[in-house]
Amino acid sequence: MMRTELPTTMRASVLVRAGELTVETRGVPSPDADQVIVQVNAVGICGSDVHYFHEGRIGDFVVEAPMVLGHEAGGTIVAVGADVDEARLGERVSIEPQRPCRQCEFCRSGQYNLCPQIEFYATPPIDGAFAEYVAIQQDFAYAVPDSVSDDAAALMEPLAVGVAAIRKAGVRPGSRVLIAGAGPIGIITAQTARAFGAAEIVISDPMAERREVALRFGATRAVDPVAEPLGSDYDAFIDASGSPVAVKQGVSALKSAGVAVLVGMGADEIALPVSTIQNRELIITGIFRYANAWPTAIHLAASGAVDLDSLVTGSFGIAEVREALDSASLPTTLKSIVRPDREFAAK
């Protein structure tokens, strides 16, 4: 049951099919006993939102019915379920946008992101957060301090990806790190590597504008992989580009016992330098979203170790989601934010 008055309807931006969006009036969700209802203050645009909008699918995840996009979300708790403390009403939160089963072997071992039954915002058929209200299990709505803005509360989600990648790569004080791709995830991962104590953070990207941004956000060096050598003997390589060429180059740049973490969405299959992997005993792995990353992400943002607010390059209203998605492909865009309570963009 709910313990506060809410409107019965809300506005939501709905992906009808690939390339077609509309604003619909929908019912405000009711919380399960262990859930809270969050009034959404800000939602970041992610590359997966862009993929679903343009192509209607990502790999095996296919949009087969109208769906609300958006999963990088923060807001304010405005209603609680029967088992949730009413003291949480009015709390500003960052949303971890997934619901694991909590019973399988992966959930019990703490790897709940690998739960085969997991439900994730804006992954078919689960609706996301381009809406005025959303429901989430109460322990996946993390309180944020007043020093964290609404935009930063939303961008904890990509920061959680950075935390997951840096942890998987084993980055520690003094590490030398190579990152391919100076888009939002690459930039956030560079900041996270710096916060974890990396001594050298090299970002490769063929676009000069993005290389310039990388140097402002934690990179010690930014290189054009087409024209410049990447260097070698890195402790960790993190691919945030999805480029098969970048992955092969990055793996080859690792020193013995180095770790490569594949984050970017790219080709389903790529060629790898097998003899190099064997002879250097390299570890090649990936990440699938994140688990147990929000407390660390909130600390990094609240302490100033990672700057999320400066990543925001545009804001849009609920009726302007198409424009927000289109803006994501511009070389000067880092993060576009949708603010459901706004009728017009603050451009």
Side-chain angles (χ1 to χ4, degrees), residues 178-262:
L178 172 64
I179 299 170
I185 292 297
I187 295 298
I188 288 173
T189 301
Q191 290 196 73
T192 308
R194 181 182 60 186
F196 273 59
E200 185 177 357
I201 305 163
V202 177
I203 290 190
S204 68
D205 196 291
M207 297 181 66
E209 298 93 337
R210 291 195 180 276
R211 293 197 300 274
E212 291 174 9
V213 171
L215 292 172
R216 300 202 308 267
F217 285 95
T220 57
R221 186 163 66 100
V223 302
D224 179 351
V226 177
E228 304 173 66
L230 297 178
S232 59
D233 292 330
Y234 293 99
D235 299 288
F237 164 62
I238 298 168
D239 178 65
S241 71
S243 164
V245 173
V247 171
K248 186 174 181 179
Q249 289 178 334
V251 169
S252 297
L254 287 169
K255 72 179 185 181
S256 294
V259 181
V261 181
L262 308 185

Side-chain angles (χ1 to χ4, degrees), residues 5-94:
E5 290 293 327
L6 286 181
T8 57
T9 62
M10 66 176 184
R11 295 178 304 158
S13 175
V14 180
L15 178 66
V16 179
R17 60 183 62 86
E20 183 179 346
L21 288 165
T22 187
V23 176
E24 292 184 2
T25 298
R26 290 190 166 192
V28 172
S30 296
D32 295 340
D34 63 346
Q35 289 185 318
V36 295
I37 300 300
V38 176
Q39 184 172 10
V40 179
N41 296 330
V43 193
I45 296 289
C46 176
S48 66
D49 298 316
V50 178
H51 275 283
Y52 282 127
F53 172 62
H54 286 295
E55 300 161 25
R57 68 182 302 152
I58 298 176
D60 294 334
F61 299 110
V62 181
V63 178
E64 296 178 336
M67 183 182 77
V68 177
L69 294 173
H71 62 265
E72 301 176 0
T76 304
I77 294 176
V78 293
V80 298
D83 296 340
V84 181
D85 190 341
E86 286 184 345
R88 297 206 66 184
L89 290 169
E91 193 173 86
R92 294 177 58 248
V93 296
S94 175

Side-chain angles (χ1 to χ4, degrees), residues 94 142-145 148 156 159 293-303:
S94 175
Y142 295 84
V144 296
V148 172
M156 291 299 169
L159 178 51
W294 250 255
T296 299
I298 291 171
H299 169 73
L300 292 177
S303 68

